[in-house]
């Protein structure tokens, strides 16, 4: 199974592609889609086209996307949600199933601590995928999202989590 992980952002959208063979994970590629300081529609188009190119080049079977958390600034949350929507639209265009995970779920699945720092996530991604060097923080977050999905999402084994949410530690 080939999994594309996406860490959406309006300035930088991280992506990472891994392959799961049995219980083994194998790194394929990762990177960032960077937008210019253009108007919002142009930036969203850049994200949409960038994710579509990654999908066409790597042919994933599934996509895992990090969910938006609510910021102190509602405008930032709205803009992040639009970037996330552009990335999801690219996956849906290619008829790929999309699963969503909160940052807490991703960190819990990869590091074992839902409140881990970015450098801890980078270190565990390096270790789990046998990488010779640290990926950028955005690419590491995307790879971590893919790893979380490969592990069944937040330590839930092979239980399908698509379409469900975590509330107070329970799948609802």
């Amino acid at each position: 199974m080939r999994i594309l992980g996406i860490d959406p952002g309006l300035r930088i959208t991280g992506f990472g592609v891994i392959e799961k063979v049995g219980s083994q994970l194998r790194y394929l590629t990762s990177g960032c889609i960077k937008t210019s300081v253009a108007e919002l529609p142009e930036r969203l188009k850049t994200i949409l086209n960038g994710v579509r190119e990654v999908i066409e080049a790597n042919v994933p079977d599934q996509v895992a996307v990090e969910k938006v958390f609510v910021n102190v600034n509602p405008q930032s949350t709205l803009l992040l949600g639009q970037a996330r929507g552009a990335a999801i639209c690219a996956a849906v265009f290619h008829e790929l199933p999309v699963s969503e995970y909160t940052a807490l779920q991703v960190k819990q699945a990869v590091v074992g601590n839902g409140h881990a720092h970015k450098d801890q996530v980078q270190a565990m991604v390096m270790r789990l995928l046998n990488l010779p060097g640290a990926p950028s923080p955005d690419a590491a977050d995307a790879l971590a999202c893919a790893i979380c999905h490969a592990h069944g999402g937040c330590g839930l084994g092979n239980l399908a989590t698509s379409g469900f949410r975590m509330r107070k530690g329970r799948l609802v």
Side-chain angles (χ1 to χ4, degrees), residues 9-118:
L10 192 57
R11 265 185 351 113
I12 301 171
T13 293
F15 68 87
V17 182
I18 63 170
E19 199 165 56
K20 182 179 180 185
V21 180
S23 63
Q24 299 294 314
L25 299 179
R26 189 169 65 105
Y27 171 84
L28 297 178
T29 189
S30 64
C32 296
I33 300 162
K34 296 180 181 179
T35 63
S36 64
V37 291
E39 294 294 317
L40 179 63
E42 192 62 35
R43 294 171 90 176
L44 296 175
K45 180 181 177 186
T46 300
I47 295 166
L48 177 73
N49 289 338
V51 173
R52 285 181 63 187
E53 286 175 22
V54 171
I55 290 170
E56 289 164 7
N58 295 283
V59 194
D61 301 305
Q62 299 182 13
V63 177
V65 181
E66 192 170 303
K67 283 185 182 178
V68 174
F69 64 93
V70 179
N71 276 323
V72 174
N73 182 346
Q75 183 64 25
S76 296
T77 304
L78 180 62
L79 291 172
L80 181 58
Q82 290 174 330
R84 190 172 162 278
I88 290 172
C89 283
V92 171
F93 178 83
H94 288 280
E95 299 182 3
L96 294 170
V98 176
S99 297
E100 303 170 79
Y101 301 96
T102 64
L104 188 78
Q105 287 174 301
V106 171
K107 291 175 181 179
Q108 181 68 39
V110 175
V111 180
N113 174 4
H115 300 288
H117 297 286
K118 279 197 177 282

Side-chain angles (χ1 to χ4, degrees), residues 121-143:
V121 173
Q122 277 180 303
M124 282 306 295
V125 165
M126 280 179 53
R127 175 177 260 167
L128 290 169
L129 297 176
N130 259 343
L131 299 178
S136 71
D138 297 293
D141 287 349
L143 287 165

